[in-house]
Amino acid sequence: MSTEKILAGDTRSIARAATWIENRRPEAEALLRELFPYTGRTMILGITGSPGAGKSTLCDQLARELRGEGKRVGIIAVDPTSPYTGGAILGDRIRMQRHHADAGVFIRSMATRGWLGGLAAATTEMTMLLDAAGFDVVIVETVGVGQDEVEIARLADVTLVLMVPGMGDDVQAIKAGIIEIADVFVINKSDLPGAEKLDRELKSYLGLSHRPDGWTPSIVHAVASEGKGIAETLAAAREYHSRGSSVTRGAEIWSMRLREMLRERLIDRFPAADFAAAGREVAERRRDPFSIIDGWLKEGSGWEERPRMDADKRDKRDKRDKRDRPR
Ligand SMILES: Nc1nc2c(ncn2[C@@H]2O[C@H](COP(=O)(O)OP(=O)(O)O)[C@@H](O)[C@H]2O)c(=O)[nH]1
Ligand SMILES: [Mg+2]
C-alpha cells in the first residue's frame, strides 16, 4: 500500500485502505499515522435523522452540487446491518450509481460492526483517509436513532439534522437527543403539509435554548428529491463551518474522538474478556459488575505491552456480543 497513491487520490488504493479500516486491521493504523500530516483540510458534514427522512437523497444531491463546483466528495453511509434496512442499503447503492464512474466521488457503506464504540472510531479513521486523499467534503450519513449514531454525527465539523413535517418527528427528535447536536436543521420533504408548523415549533424551541458557543442553529427548507434547497443547505453548513476558529472547534472534536479511541483501544486490550458470559453472571446475580471490571483490570496488568487484538478475534467477540445484545 503506497501512501503516495492515496495522497494522489488513487481510487483503488483508497478503497483498499477503507476496507482495512472497516475490518479494523492493524495495518490501517500504521497507514493513518503516515497520512495524518496531510489531513485537516476537509469539511466533515454529518447528516442524521430518522429512517426515511431523505438523508441519502440529500447526500446524493449535495454531492452533485459540490461536483458542480469541482469539489471532490466522499460519502460514508453508516448503515445498521439489520434485516430491516437491507433494502435501504440496496436503494442507496442504486441511487448513488449516478456518481459511480466519477473518481471525484468516493462512496462507502459501512456496516455497523460491533457496538462497543468501534463504529465511531472507524468512521473517524475513514474521514481521515478521505481527508488525506484530497476530498474537499466528506459527508457522513447516520440514522439518528442509536447512541452510536448520534455520537458519530456529533464528531462532524457540521452536523445537519433532517426533520420531516407532519410525522411527529419534532417530538421524537427531542426525545432522541438529536436536536441538541444540530448546527443546521433541514426541514426536508417541505412539499408535504406541515413544514411551516414544524418551522415554528423549531424556532420556538431554539428561542428557549442557548448554546455555549452562542450559535443559533439555522433552519433550511428542502425538497431533496427535487433538488430544492440544496444550495441553501450547503451555504448554511459553510456559514457555520467558517465562523470562529477551526482550531478551537477541532480541539473540541478531537477531545471527543480521543475519548472514543481510548475506549475502543482499552476494550481491545482485553481479548479474553467475555462480555456475554460476564453479562449473564451479573444478570443472574452471581457476581457484581464492579469486581468483574476490577478482575479484568488486574489480570490485564502489563497489557500495555500486548499487541492490539487481531481482527479475527475482535470479530468473534463482536459477533458474540451482538448475538447476546438485548433488544
Ligand atoms: N416527498 C418527498 N420525498 C422525498 C424527499 N426526499 C426524499 N424523499 C423520498 O423519501 C424516501 C426515503 O429517502 P432516503 O433518502 O432513502 O431516506 P433516508 O433513509 O433518510 O436515507 C425516498 O423514497 C425518497 O425518494 C422530499 O423532499 N420530498
Ligand atoms: Mg439512507
Side-chain angles (χ1 to χ4, degrees):
M1 174 72 61
S2 107
T3 310
E4 284 70 33
K5 276 193 170 170
I6 289 171
L7 292 174
D10 176 65
T11 306
R12 235 196 239 179
S13 308
I14 297 166
R16 240 181 97 204
T19 302
W20 281 356
I21 291 170
E22 196 180 6
N23 294 335
R24 316 303 295 133
R25 313 282 328 172
E27 300 95 309
E29 196 180 300
L31 175 70
L32 288 168
R33 247 181 247 229
E34 280 185 39
L35 293 177
F36 185 73
Y38 304 95
T39 62
R41 277 172 293 209
T42 196
M43 172 168 79
I44 305 167
L45 283 186
I47 298 189
T48 190
S50 314
K55 296 178 297 296
S56 300
T57 314
L58 183 69
C59 279
D60 180 47
Q61 293 284 353
L62 285 170
R64 201 165 32 161
E65 181 80 17
L66 287 159
R67 287 306 287 144
E69 295 179 5
K71 299 275 195 284
R72 296 174 64 221
V73 190
I75 296 175
I76 303 168
V78 183
D79 289 311
T81 345
S82 77
Y84 315 108
T85 53
I89 293 167
L90 188 63
D92 283 348
R93 290 247 166 86
I94 292 164
R95 189 165 33 229
M96 296 293 190
Q97 261 167 16
R98 189 186 310 159
H99 306 293
H100 194 69
D102 181 358
V105 178
F106 182 90
I107 301 163
R108 183 53 74 111
S109 267
M110 246 196 335
T112 57
R113 177 182 285 275
W115 50 282
L116 297 166
L119 191 56
T123 308
T124 296
E125 290 173 12
M126 207 71 99
T127 60
M128 284 166 70
L129 170 70
L130 297 179
D131 188 345
F135 287 90
D136 302 284
V137 178
V138 174
I139 307 175
V140 181
E141 176 194 337
T142 67
V143 181
V145 284
Q147 191 54 46
D148 274 0
E149 285 75 11
V150 172
E151 266 317 295
I152 290 166
R154 232 158 56 96
L155 297 173
D157 294 315
V158 185
T159 303
L160 309 178
V161 171
L162 251 72
M163 303 189 89
V164 176
M167 285 183 42
D169 216 17
D170 38 347
V171 186
Q172 261 183 323
I174 293 168
K175 264 197 217 143
I178 65 171
I179 250 185
E180 287 83 2
I181 63 166
D183 302 312
V184 176
F185 285 102
V186 180
I187 300 183
N188 192 39
K189 306 200 186 183
S190 289
D191 53 323
L192 302 180
E196 289 310 319
K197 182 169 170 278
L198 179 53
D199 187 288
R200 277 195 305 276
E201 284 172 0
L202 266 178
K203 283 204 178 100
S204 71
Y205 172 83
L206 292 174
L208 298 172
S209 61
H210 295 282
R211 285 178 36 152
D213 65 354
W215 171 256
T216 304
S218 33
I219 303 173
V220 182
H221 290 235
V223 184
S225 54
E226 293 170 20
K228 287 185 191 156
I230 308 305
E232 291 80 354
T233 301
L234 195 55
R238 282 176 168 152
E239 192 199 344
Y240 176 71
H241 190 238
S242 64
R243 73 188 276 283
S245 148
S246 63
V247 172
T248 311
R249 175 81 184 125
E252 273 171 31
I253 291 170
W254 274 109
S255 97
M256 288 193 281
R257 286 183 187 166
L258 286 167
R259 255 176 239 270
E260 284 300 332
M261 283 171 76
L262 181 60
R263 203 176 321 222
E264 188 190 13
R265 283 289 186 88
L266 207 50
I267 286 171
D268 285 351
R269 301 282 183 181
F270 296 89
D274 187 338
F275 291 100
R280 255 190 310 274
E281 282 189 301
V282 177
E284 290 166 1
R285 298 296 182 278
R286 282 188 278 128
R287 286 179 73 189
D288 75 83
F290 309 102
S291 53
I292 288 179
I293 294 289
D294 284 346
W296 281 341
L297 288 173
K298 264 190 216 110
E299 279 166 34
S301 61
W303 52 262
E304 296 89 345
E305 289 88 50
R306 249 184 257 170
R308 294 193 66 182
M309 191 189 297
D310 75 58
D312 292 340
K313 252 188 210 152
R314 185 194 339 241
D315 279 357
K316 251 184 225 140
R317 184 201 64 195
D318 287 348
K319 266 199 203 105
R320 188 176 63 199
D321 288 337
K322 212 164 211 169
R323 196 189 51 220
D324 292 338
R325 184 185 191 178
R327 294 241 47 121

